[in-house]
Amino acid sequence: MRKAAVVLLALVLTSCTSPPPPAFADARALADAATAATASGGSAKFTTDVAVGQVRSKGQGQARFGPGGTSQVMTTDFIGEPMELRLVAGKLYAKVPEGSRDQAGKPWTVVAADGTDPFSQVLGGSLTQLAAQNDPAHTLGEIRTAGSIVSSEHTDLSGVAAEHYRVDLDLSRLGTDLPAGLSADSASRLGGKFPVELWLDDAHRPLQIVLDLSPILQGGEARITTRYREWGAPVEVQAPPADEVG
């Protein structure tokens, strides 16, 4: 009898000290909570690492989040040399390297995936996808639409307490909202699922998002890692002066 009581007490004490399970077991609830936390967080600084085959690029910047959408400014070596991008009020601006500027010599141009200018025709799709990938709302929207949670755990990320979620995205459920670097033709041909890993802080704000297309592209590594820090810190995000935009 005494032995049974000791075992029961040990079980009670263990249950009292065990950490609670991660907050979310449903992908939609996870995405909704993280989206709301991103908007209420207001702003953050970020870094991004892109590794696709032999291509490697890094970027860093700062972003402002809210009901009106995301605005951001970043520098990236995506084309092999430093380039500044600004996303403001739904328009993406790129600072054109001097050797690639038109006759007017304006340092900035508006970039669009379907733009008819030479710069957009070459880089418009890649740069707009890169900007979208830095916006947590984009990936969280994909998780809401096509995600299923595979695993979750309490952990820490660079010394910060975090909840870590591994989510599988079903490519067939994403429609036209496709990950960076993947065309609609490729998506319909490849099908399948691919993983997204998401780390949230104790306020459910993203700390890190890793998008891994390697399982479906099957041509080597294809991974995008975005890290967020300094939530709520003041940021400076403005459109370029109008007279500098070509």
Side-chain angles (χ1 to χ4, degrees):
M1 186 73 175
R2 178 177 296 179
K3 183 178 180 180
V6 171
V7 172
L8 179 60
L9 178 61
L11 290 172
V12 170
L13 291 175
T14 301
S15 65
C16 290
T17 57
S18 296
F24 307 103
D26 174 75
R28 180 178 291 272
L30 167 65
D32 287 344
T35 299
T38 296
S40 63
S43 62
K45 297 180 181 179
F46 64 86
T47 60
T48 183
D49 295 309
V50 178
V52 179
Q54 299 301 312
V55 177
R56 298 290 188 274
S57 72
K58 294 182 178 293
Q60 61 180 351
Q62 50 191 343
R64 186 168 55 242
F65 311 104
T70 296
S71 297
Q72 60 178 272
V73 56
M74 72 173 296
T75 56
T76 177
D77 58 0
F78 186 74
I79 61 172
E81 59 180 297
M83 172 185 287
E84 183 177 349
L85 300 175
R86 298 186 189 183
L87 177 65
V88 180
K91 282 188 176 181
L92 180 62
Y93 303 88
K95 194 168 189 178
V96 183
E98 285 193 34
S100 302
R101 294 176 187 173
D102 59 19
Q103 292 182 345
K106 298 291 183 70
W108 292 90
T109 186
V110 178
V111 181
D114 58 353
T116 57
D117 62 286
F119 195 84
S120 288
Q121 288 181 334
V122 174
L123 290 171
S126 298
L127 293 180
T128 53
Q129 287 181 328
L130 180 63
Q133 208 60 57
N134 294 327
D135 181 2
H138 181 260
T139 301
L140 292 169
E142 293 176 334
I143 290 174
R144 180 185 298 106
T145 300
S148 55
I149 295 176
V150 175
S151 64
S152 60
E153 63 176 345
H154 290 280
T155 185
D156 70 83
L157 185 68
S158 301
V160 178
E163 288 188 352
H164 175 208
Y165 294 88
R166 187 184 187 278
V167 179
D168 273 356
L169 290 185
D170 186 342
L171 200 58
S172 66
R173 292 165 56 192
L174 283 177
T176 58
D177 184 19
L178 298 172
L182 195 63
S183 67
D185 288 343
S186 297
S188 62
R189 185 177 70 254
L190 294 168
K193 297 181 179 180
F194 60 94
V196 174
E197 292 186 78
L198 176 64
W199 287 258
L200 303 179
D201 67 12
D202 57 6
H204 300 147
R205 299 171 301 196
L207 292 171
Q208 179 170 273
I209 298 175
V210 178
L211 173 68
D212 187 3
L213 291 170
S214 306
I216 57 174
L217 293 181
Q218 299 177 349
E221 185 180 15
R223 181 187 297 261
I224 301 171
T225 302
T226 309
R227 302 176 183 88
Y228 302 90
R229 68 186 195 283
E230 297 183 44
W231 280 95
V235 298
E236 184 69 24
V237 183
Q238 296 182 351
D243 61 355
E244 295 184 9
V245 180

